[in-house]
Amino acid sequence: MAQDNATTASDGAVKQHAGVRQVWRESPTAVKSLLAGTMIIRLGGFVQVFMVLYLTERGFSDGQAGAALGVYGAGAVLGTLVGGWMSDRLGPRLTIVTTLLGSAALLPCVLYLDNYWAILVVIAISGAASLAYQPASTSMISLLTPVERHVMIFAMGRLAINLGTTAAPLLGAALVKVSWDFLFWGEALAVVVFSAVAATTLPHRMTTDTTDTTKPADGGTADGEAAAGPTGADGAAAAPKASYLAVLTDRRYLMFLLAMFVSSVIYIQHISALPLAVKHLGMGIEVYAAMIALNGLLVITCELLVAKVVQRWQIRTAVIIGVLLTGVGMSLYALPLGLAALVIATLVWSLGEIIGYPSLFFAYPAQAGPPALRGRYLGASNALYGLGSAVGPFIGVMIWNRYEEGLWLGCGVVGLLAAAAAWGGVRPPRATEKNEDRAENEGKGIGDSGTADAEIRTGT
């Protein structure tokens, strides 16, 4: 018996501290397909990048082109919410396939429309359809991957996203030289390929415990307190109907969403306000491009290596450090050190992205709620990230035009507040109940990814 226990503990340690190759090798085909499909769809993500240039090329005004891009972003935010609902109701596989096919069918329609308002409608719906798959994809990956490997597997997902989004503009520019039409048909083709891969490799049904739609991961009610509500005939608390209202009653998760939103607003300043700061310093566009390239290089080359360490931390620690370093890093742009300040600041907030973002945007939202609401929890987090990325540029440029370097100091202060919200919003591990939960789960035959009572952690 002692030998068996020792072997089990050893095996558990190996699983929890698995490296990149082992996690990839032991991941199910469905998970590998979703990661590959994510890279394919990002590699073919031309339309959003070139939308403004395309519409102005067709004779629309700069204002109309910018508004169309905003409409696309608004549709994407709505799409993640709808996608989360569909994932819970229809299942991840059907959600992924149907929304991707809808996006592929709509995208080329823009080429054949002349009416501006009709174009806006198609762009809004296609934007919603193009990102509706994300909550379902993240949900399925989390279901098929042991919880102690979530950070590593989602770091791989972020690598796929970053590789695709880095190469997409270059490939899109080459297509534009041939024909603008190739942008839309090219993205539609990439989406169809991903849809076909999903349809042929993803499981039709996912088995989860959906008997409790309101019990969060800390084992209490949505706000972490003891249940106190209407009871049924058997004396058990009556669970409300599964909906986004159940997410809104989770006060801890609302604090987490606040931290995510604020962090997204801060993070997007490297695209909106940083080029203005570089220009203000009298430096050329090549300096700004070098900072963006430095961030991309660090994320692509270092995130998986750092994930090998971060996966052993409590997920709360990873999220807080990531949010904190993002705000502190941005504040360092205010240092009067010229180019050195730009490099130092970029290194710091890039480290925050590498450490915290696999947990902040993927691992924790996938674990935070009960299984029956996993899609909605992910949809809410995706929507808040999209909203922060949409309003962040307006906020940042407005503050920069008025206070200039004061923007960066504000990022530091607001980053501290976001870290405090993350501390209050991310549920800490229940160390004292860990063994009880494990025994209960083993008795029910529920795996790592199928219980709402699982300890919220990256690994132990």
Side-chain angles (χ1 to χ4, degrees):
M1 177 64 72
Q3 183 177 359
D4 292 342
N5 291 338
T7 302
T8 301
S10 177
D11 292 343
V14 171
K15 286 179 64 178
Q16 291 167 0
H17 305 323
V20 179
R21 292 182 181 179
Q22 183 180 352
V23 171
W24 173 260
R25 184 174 62 251
E26 297 178 359
S27 294
T29 300
V31 172
K32 295 177 181 177
S33 298
L34 288 172
L35 295 180
T38 297
M39 182 171 169
I40 292 172
I41 202 171
R42 294 287 180 165
L43 184 62
F46 311 127
V47 173
Q48 186 177 15
V49 176
F50 292 94
M51 184 180 297
V52 171
L53 292 176
Y54 169 75
L55 291 177
T56 54
E57 181 72 15
R58 287 189 56 178
F60 294 102
S61 68
D62 293 348
Q64 288 176 315
L69 185 60
V71 167
Y72 183 93
V77 171
L78 179 61
T80 57
L81 291 172
V82 175
W85 172 82
M86 291 178 64
S87 179
D88 287 338
R89 292 296 298 271
L90 306 178
R93 178 183 178 276
L94 186 58
T95 299
I96 293 170
V97 174
T98 55
T99 57
L100 289 178
L101 287 178
S103 174
L106 286 170
L107 281 171
C109 294
V110 176
L111 297 170
Y112 307 103
L113 295 173
D114 296 322
N115 182 273
Y116 177 69
W117 296 106
I119 291 175
L120 286 185
V121 171
V122 172
I123 285 176
I125 300 175
S126 64
S130 65
L131 289 184
Y133 82 94
Q134 285 189 342
S137 175
T138 305
S139 177
M140 180 167 283
I141 291 174
S142 70
L143 284 167
L144 297 175
T145 304
V147 67
E148 67 271 5
R149 296 187 177 185
H150 277 186
V151 169
M152 179 62 75
I153 203 67
F154 287 124
M156 292 182 183
R158 277 178 44 82
L159 176 62
I161 291 172
N162 287 316
L163 288 174
T165 53
T166 299
L170 303 177
L171 182 57
L175 293 176
V176 167
K177 291 184 178 181
V178 181
S179 172
W180 283 98
D181 292 7
F182 283 7
L183 287 180
F184 292 86
W185 287 110
E187 180 162 343
L189 177 61
V191 172
V192 169
V193 170
F194 186 10
S195 180
V197 170
T200 55
T201 62
L202 302 187
H204 287 256
R205 293 185 180 182
M206 300 298 300
T207 302
T208 60
D209 178 10
T210 59
T211 58
D212 185 355
T213 62
T214 58
K215 188 176 183 182
D218 65 351
T221 60
D223 58 9
E225 300 173 354
T231 58
D234 58 356
K241 183 179 180 181
S243 70
Y244 274 108
L245 291 178
V247 179
L248 294 177
T249 61
D250 187 340
R251 293 202 292 266
R252 272 188 176 272
Y253 195 65
L254 292 181
M255 291 183 66
F256 168 78
L257 291 179
L258 174 63
M260 170 179 282
F261 172 77
V262 173
S263 187
S264 300
V265 171
I266 296 173
Y267 177 77
I268 202 65
Q269 301 311 316
H270 80 281
I271 293 177
S272 57
L274 182 57
L276 301 178
V278 171
K279 182 179 180 181
H280 178 72
L281 292 172
M283 301 180 185
I285 191 174
E286 65 277 2
V287 175
Y288 170 68
M291 296 302 103
I292 300 302
L294 175 61
N295 166 255
L297 179 64
L298 289 172
V299 172
I300 290 174
T301 59
C302 299
E303 186 160 318
L304 291 181
L305 298 176
V306 174
K308 293 175 64 176
V309 177
V310 174
Q311 66 180 342
R312 305 179 185 184
W313 300 357
Q314 293 180 8
I315 203 167
R316 193 186 202 190
T317 302
V319 170
I320 292 173
I321 291 178
V323 171
L324 187 62
L325 287 179
T326 300
V328 171
M330 290 292 174
S331 71
L332 296 180
Y333 283 127
L335 293 175
L337 299 177
L339 181 60
L342 297 180
V343 174
I344 293 171
T346 302
L347 289 173
V348 173
W349 66 257
S350 296
L351 180 60
E353 177 183 359
I354 291 170
I355 290 176
Y357 283 24
S359 299
L360 177 66
F361 294 113
F362 298 97
Y364 183 71
Q367 299 175 28
L373 291 175
R374 182 179 282 111
R376 290 176 175 88
Y377 270 70
L378 288 165
S381 66
N382 279 307
L384 265 294
Y385 168 73
L387 183 61
S389 299
V391 303
F394 295 100
I395 296 173
V397 172
M398 179 180 65
I399 296 176
W400 171 263
N401 288 334
R402 187 175 181 87
Y403 300 105
E404 294 185 346
E405 282 82 1
L407 167 67
W408 306 122
L409 298 177
C411 286
V413 173
V414 176
L416 292 175
L417 298 177
W423 180 85
V426 179
R427 295 179 176 89
R430 297 182 301 148
T432 58
E433 299 179 20
K434 178 178 178 182
N435 292 333
E436 294 178 8
D437 286 347
R438 180 178 300 168
E440 179 182 354
N441 293 339
E442 289 175 353
K444 292 181 178 179
I446 299 174
D448 289 329
S449 60
T451 175
D453 292 333
E455 178 186 355
I456 297 300
R457 65 188 186 280
T458 59
T460 55

